[in-house]
Amino acid sequence: MSQAELDKLIRSNYEAGFSTTVDTETLPPGLSEEVIRFLSAKKEEPEWMLEWRLDSYRKWQEMPSPGWAHLHHDPIDFNKVSYYSKPKSLDDAPKSLDEVDPELLATYEKLGIPLHEQEMLAGVAVDVVFDSSSVFTTFKEKLWEAGVIFCSISEAIQNHPELIKKYLGSVVPKGDNFYAALNSAVFSDGSFVYIPKGVRCPMELSTYFRINEANTGQFERTLIIADEGSHVSYLEGCTAPQRDENQLHAAVVELVALPGAEIKYSTVQNWYPGDENGKGGIYNFVTKRGVAHDNSKISWTQVETGSAITWKYPSVILRGDNSIGEFYSVALTRHMQQADTGTKMIHLGKNTKSTIISKGISAGRSSNSYRGLVRISPRAENARNFTQCDSLLLGDTCGAHTFPYIESKNPSATIEHEATTSKVSDDQMFLCRQRGIDPEKAVSMIVNGFCKEVFKELPMEFAVEAGKLLEVSLEGAVG
Amino acid sequence: MLEIRDLHATVADKPILKGLNLTIKPGEVHAIMGPNGSGKSTLANVLAGRDNYAITGGEALFEGKSLAELEPEERAQAGLFLAFQYPVEIPGVSNMEFLKAALESVRTAQGKEEWDSVTLLRQARAACKQVNLDASFLKRGVNEGFSGGEKKRNEIMQMLLMEPKLALLDETDSGLDIDALQTVAKGVNSLRSPERGIVLVTHYQRLLDYIVPDFVHVLSNGQIIKSGGKELALELEKKGYGWLTGEEESA
Ligand SMILES: Nc1ncnc2c1ncn2[C@@H]1O[C@H](COP(=O)(O)OP(=O)(O)O)[C@@H](O)[C@H]1O
Ligand SMILES: [Mg+2]
């Protein structure tokens, strides 16, 4: 991104902080079997899907919410959350952009996501999620020609039940954890991707999420299956309007990389983090996990700048021999934000290899924790892991914590761990300012430099987005 | 262009400059010499506006404007450049990126035409060549892993591009071998012009063999205790600072 852009963004207020007034059909708050039946019926789901949801709900009811993350928040009243909302104007799905609610389009316009342009220029297929249901999917035909399935998970349940039955919950089981169980019971919508054997997906697949309804929980469900020898790069980006109510988000993402496949999953997350007093902001509890079979590769790249609370550990189960797992992360916290994020690399296969690069940036009175687990199972001969955790502090009132867990049950493993904590020094700031660079720009430049190793992993078009979001979040981080 | 009158300044509340007077006119090259700890770097940092360096009395006017009223970046934009004694590293921020931000800001402030990226790259390469730095240094992080001498040459490279009105060079000669010293001197000399003022802060007179100053001042205990022409530097070289300060030299 250009420095001019950075400069503009760092000065701007939280530009995404507005809300539209699209007519919605929203279920009153509260969770029960009836709600799940309603939701499932509304989506005209088959019986087996309803049963799957109900089973998840029963599991969830028996689970305590996790208390071990380095996070502090009031207990969430799950009966104050609304579990279904859908833009009304989309009951008859639009066939093209012209048919889309103009207010909705205006919202995307404000966010700087010109769909028309994306359609024409970038060659990026966009499955736009507005609240809980998919609005429309572009570029479907082109993908279809390649044999790629890219649709909403609701559609996949209708049209590809055999794939859903086989893979949904295969990576993140229904009862995996509290939030995953909740998601499995009430997931609203999300993306489904299937790349056939040997196919290289002809374009980056991208989804923009947006939380709109106050008090509406977001329960996205994403499932990506890369069949043998295939290749896909998936981009996920989010931004949300300014709200006073805390909003709950509990997504589940499952990745399946079959032998020889490669999945690259990139996220830029910029949900409303709350104001300097911690008021408002999104609670983001996400379960992201991939299974890598023989000779396959799964790579997670994330840029996290938003949310009041982030609880997120994109993980890779290195099941197959010679499989590779990667995790590149930038997590920026400011004001009263709390982030507890990291990854798990579970080495099961022989000659498996994982790389973890985590960059935490803390400002204000925020708290930023890296929590990572590297587990080498007894049969994982010659497994290798390299972990690097760097923390950058802006100011004296923020905190950075690193919790690396290493469990090696095979003596042939090679595990390297490096960790650093640094500050944006007065000397660095003075050097920049002495060269005429104003302090805001100087900070953003220094922070961007700190993140470089992660940013270079992002697809080109996404790196710009990442930089932008970082800027918005850095606003006010300087004196 | 620079008028310093009875300047008193503190570093972290400790009085260092104690009534310093100095006038620099366009086109002049001044050398400021003095024993370690006499306040040479303090003077440079006070003029550039570093945090913790406060003017407590007197004034420093740059082109008629009081420097005390300007933020560090405003002083830079006004054409004041400081080549640091200890250039700091900024990991991950490429030299090129850094120069782009600096030049955009300063050139805009000075009403100079904007350089597009092609021009910028061409100019930056030329500047590198002038100080004998490989162009690959433009891609590296600012001072990241540079040797001492490379850092100093990098400072001069930046100075060549920034085209300051007043350049302050703080011990740019220290840690340079004779070849690097000559390279740096050539760079500085190429900037000598009737419009530009240059202040060389140095401990040794060695640099002054290559950049011949118009005036030499001796700083001691926060004041200029003697001023003269270039021959003063030679005299100092022979007799040591003790000759003027009446103390044994510690360095
Ligand atoms: N950050 C600082 N805090 C306290 N004292 C300082 C600081 N920086 C410099 N000084 C003191 O100020 C005096 C002048 O230092 P300096 O200007 O660096 O001298 P010179 O450059 O002539 O060697 C010295 O006594 C030094 O110890
Ligand atoms: Mg000094």
Side-chain angles (χ1 to χ4, degrees):
Chain A
M1 77 228 86
S2 83
Q3 287 298 324
E5 270 178 314
L6 296 184
D7 204 32
K8 189 177 139 242
L9 278 152
I10 203 166
R11 283 152 193 278
S12 64
N13 277 314
Y14 189 82
E15 284 186 61
F18 53 83
S19 67
T20 50
T21 52
V22 177
D23 221 0
T24 55
E25 189 182 305
T26 301
L27 208 62
L31 185 54
S32 63
E33 286 208 8
E34 280 61 52
V35 166
I36 292 167
R37 283 177 198 284
F38 169 87
L39 202 150
S40 186
K42 196 82 187 158
K43 292 171 157 293
E44 296 169 21
E45 286 178 353
E47 187 63 25
W48 57 265
M49 197 63 237
L50 174 64
E51 282 310 318
W52 200 86
R53 288 179 182 275
L54 290 173
D55 186 38
S56 307
Y57 176 64
R58 286 173 206 129
K59 286 193 161 67
W60 176 72
Q61 280 183 304
E62 285 159 22
M63 300 172 90
S65 74
W68 43 267
H70 200 84
L71 301 171
H72 307 278
H73 60 85
D74 294 333
I76 298 163
D77 185 347
F78 292 94
N79 279 319
K80 283 214 174 119
V81 175
S82 170
Y83 292 89
Y84 182 79
S85 107
K86 178 181 182 181
K88 255 187 192 153
S89 56
L90 300 171
D91 271 355
D92 345 335
K95 313 283 178 294
S96 76
L97 288 175
D98 305 336
E99 289 178 35
V100 173
D101 189 327
E103 260 226 66
L104 225 157
L105 286 181
T107 303
Y108 293 129
E109 222 62 55
K110 273 194 232 176
L111 285 169
I113 311 165
L115 283 169
H116 298 281
E117 257 178 48
Q118 285 190 6
E119 223 179 359
M120 291 184 301
L121 297 173
V124 173
V126 182
D127 180 358
V128 182
V129 174
F130 186 84
D131 259 49
S132 320
S133 31
S134 296
V135 179
F136 51 79
T137 306
T138 52
F139 277 92
K140 257 199 176 144
E141 288 90 29
K142 212 166 174 187
L143 291 172
W144 191 78
E145 273 169 31
V148 171
I149 304 169
F150 179 33
C151 62
S152 73
I153 202 119
S154 308
E155 282 178 87
I157 290 166
Q158 305 293 343
N159 303 330
H160 308 284
E162 64 304 331
L163 287 172
I164 295 288
K165 279 185 190 170
K166 185 167 179 191
Y167 290 110
L168 191 72
S170 71
V171 184
V172 179
K174 283 178 277 197
D176 184 80
N177 67 71
F178 183 80
Y179 295 105
L182 179 63
N183 175 287
S184 299
V186 302
F187 71 85
S188 37
D189 216 332
S191 297
F192 175 82
V193 175
Y194 173 78
I195 316 290
K197 273 186 195 168
V199 169
R200 205 180 164 89
C201 187
M203 58 195 83
E204 313 261 3
L205 302 179
S206 161
T207 304
Y208 282 90
F209 294 90
R210 185 169 176 87
I211 299 179
N212 194 266
E213 271 312 280
N215 248 340
T216 301
Q218 281 274 305
F219 303 96
E220 307 287 349
R221 186 89 194 190
T222 299
L223 174 60
I224 298 176
I225 305 152
D227 213 329
E228 291 178 27
S230 69
H231 179 285
V232 63
S233 169
Y234 186 87
L235 319 178
E236 174 200 40
C238 339
T239 166
Q242 207 152 346
R243 288 279 175 200
D244 275 347
E245 296 287 317
N246 284 309
Q247 292 178 305
L248 174 66
H249 186 101
V252 171
V253 176
E254 297 179 277
L255 309 183
V256 180
L258 292 168
E262 185 175 339
I263 301 176
K264 188 173 172 63
Y265 192 105
S266 313
T267 308
V268 169
Q269 188 268 111
N270 182 33
W271 286 330
Y272 183 55
D275 64 17
E276 50 269 57
N277 299 313
K279 196 162 186 251
I282 306 286
Y283 286 12
N284 191 24
F285 301 100
V286 184
T287 306
K288 287 182 163 175
R289 194 178 301 156
V291 169
H293 292 268
D294 287 355
N295 305 305
S296 70
K297 177 175 170 183
I298 289 179
S299 179
W300 298 101
T301 306
Q302 61 174 28
V303 177
E304 301 276 330
T305 68
S307 297
I309 293 180
T310 302
W311 180 93
K312 181 176 177 182
Y313 316 91
S315 305
V316 183
I317 299 170
L318 298 146
R319 178 169 296 161
D321 294 347
N322 312 308
S323 57
I324 297 173
E326 294 174 341
F327 175 74
Y328 300 98
S329 169
V330 167
L332 184 149
T333 55
R334 58 173 176 150
H335 297 333
M336 297 288 283
Q337 271 178 283
Q338 305 175 57
D340 196 294
T341 181
T343 185
K344 291 178 203 163
M345 293 292 175
I346 312 295
H347 292 254
L348 302 177
K350 296 186 181 67
N351 305 314
T352 45
K353 196 177 137 191
S354 62
T355 304
I356 299 170
I357 310 277
S358 163
K359 303 275 181 178
I361 303 145
S362 331
R365 287 172 289 156
S366 67
S367 160
N368 201 330
S369 303
Y370 167 81
R371 187 184 301 278
L373 169 67
V374 176
R375 180 183 291 153
I376 315 286
S377 80
R379 70 167 195 89
E381 288 294 320
N382 297 315
R384 275 188 295 158
N385 164 264
F386 173 75
T387 299
Q388 186 186 325
C389 293
D390 298 323
S391 304
L392 184 69
L393 304 176
L394 302 165
D396 302 324
T397 52
C398 47
H401 318 271
T402 304
F403 304 100
Y405 304 91
I406 296 167
E407 297 171 11
S408 180
K409 303 226 170 69
N410 187 313
S412 68
T414 312
I415 299 170
E416 286 176 79
H417 181 93
E418 290 174 10
T420 67
T421 300
S422 54
K423 281 189 165 194
V424 174
S425 74
D426 294 345
D427 287 351
Q428 289 171 332
M429 285 299 287
F430 184 56
L431 171 57
C432 292
R433 297 180 73 180
Q434 209 305 303
R435 298 299 183 257
I437 301 167
D438 69 53
E440 286 85 356
K441 199 163 180 173
V443 167
S444 83
M445 214 163 64
I446 294 166
V447 170
N448 265 289
F450 175 74
C451 300
K452 191 146 281 181
E453 282 162 283
V454 173
F455 282 0
K456 74 174 168 45
E457 294 298 325
L458 289 171
M460 263 294 274
E461 54 268 56
F462 224 36
V464 177
E465 198 77 11
K468 272 189 186 179
L469 299 190
L470 203 65
E471 294 323 308
V472 173
S473 305
L474 279 171
E475 169 244 325
V478 201
Chain B
M1 66 183 347
L2 183 69
E3 225 9 272
I4 301 174
R5 294 194 202 110
D6 192 30
L7 188 71
H8 289 71
T10 57
V11 182
D13 298 326
K14 179 177 154 195
I16 304 293
L17 300 185
K18 301 161 185 168
L20 188 143
N21 292 288
L22 181 65
T23 301
I24 294 170
K25 299 208 180 74
E28 294 175 352
V29 175
H30 292 244
I32 296 182
M33 306 184 69
N36 275 331
S38 57
K40 303 183 297 293
S41 290
T42 301
L43 174 63
N45 283 308
V46 164
L47 294 177
R50 198 186 196 113
D51 264 0
N52 258 330
Y53 289 71
I55 296 179
T56 50
E59 58 183 0
L61 304 177
F62 181 52
E63 301 200 303
K65 263 181 282 174
S66 168
L67 282 176
E69 280 154 34
L70 300 178
E71 294 292 339
E73 60 274 20
E74 293 170 329
R75 302 180 197 201
Q77 287 159 0
L80 189 147
F81 182 96
L82 170 61
F84 288 87
Q85 181 171 5
Y86 304 108
V88 65
E89 303 193 2
I90 310 182
V93 177
S94 76
N95 243 339
M96 200 60 205
E97 216 178 314
F98 181 75
L99 283 168
K100 185 172 188 291
L103 285 162
E104 244 168 41
S105 161
V106 167
R107 291 185 70 85
T108 306
Q110 297 177 354
K112 291 181 186 165
E113 72 174 310
E114 205 180 306
W115 280 350
D116 58 29
S117 36
V118 178
T119 312
L120 177 66
L121 188 61
R122 190 160 33 83
Q123 297 281 0
R125 284 198 177 131
C128 280
K129 201 165 175 193
Q130 239 183 304
V131 296
N132 231 339
L133 274 183
D134 192 86
S136 65
F137 276 84
L138 293 171
K139 288 192 200 136
R140 289 175 55 179
V142 176
N143 296 319
E144 199 179 348
F146 291 17
S147 72
E150 285 163 353
K151 284 181 182 172
K152 295 297 177 75
R153 280 183 280 156
N154 199 42
E155 293 290 288
I156 301 304
M157 186 269 283
Q158 291 169 36
M159 183 177 77
L160 292 171
L161 286 167
M162 308 271 298
E163 303 172 324
K165 289 183 190 159
L166 178 67
L168 310 170
L169 285 77
D170 192 0
E171 307 268 5
T172 299
D173 51 333
S174 69
L176 293 183
D177 62 30
I178 194 74
D179 290 342
L181 184 73
Q182 284 177 328
T183 306
V184 161
K186 231 174 22 189
V188 175
N189 283 326
S190 77
L191 270 184
R192 282 182 95 144
S193 86
E195 303 86 47
R196 187 167 285 132
I198 296 174
V199 178
L200 305 167
V201 170
T202 181
H203 188 76
Y204 305 104
Q205 81 88 39
R206 189 176 68 143
L207 177 70
L208 308 182
D209 289 340
Y210 301 98
I211 310 170
V212 181
D214 302 303
F215 302 94
V216 174
H217 311 276
V218 179
L219 186 59
S220 171
N221 194 24
Q223 288 185 325
I224 287 177
I225 54 167
K226 193 171 176 66
S227 297
K230 57 176 185 277
E231 42 330 309
L232 179 58
L234 293 168
E235 211 168 342
L236 277 170
E237 174 90 338
K238 256 186 255 144
K239 300 184 180 170
Y241 289 114
W243 163 56
L244 290 169
T245 61
E247 294 159 20
E248 282 300 301
E249 215 203 323
S250 54

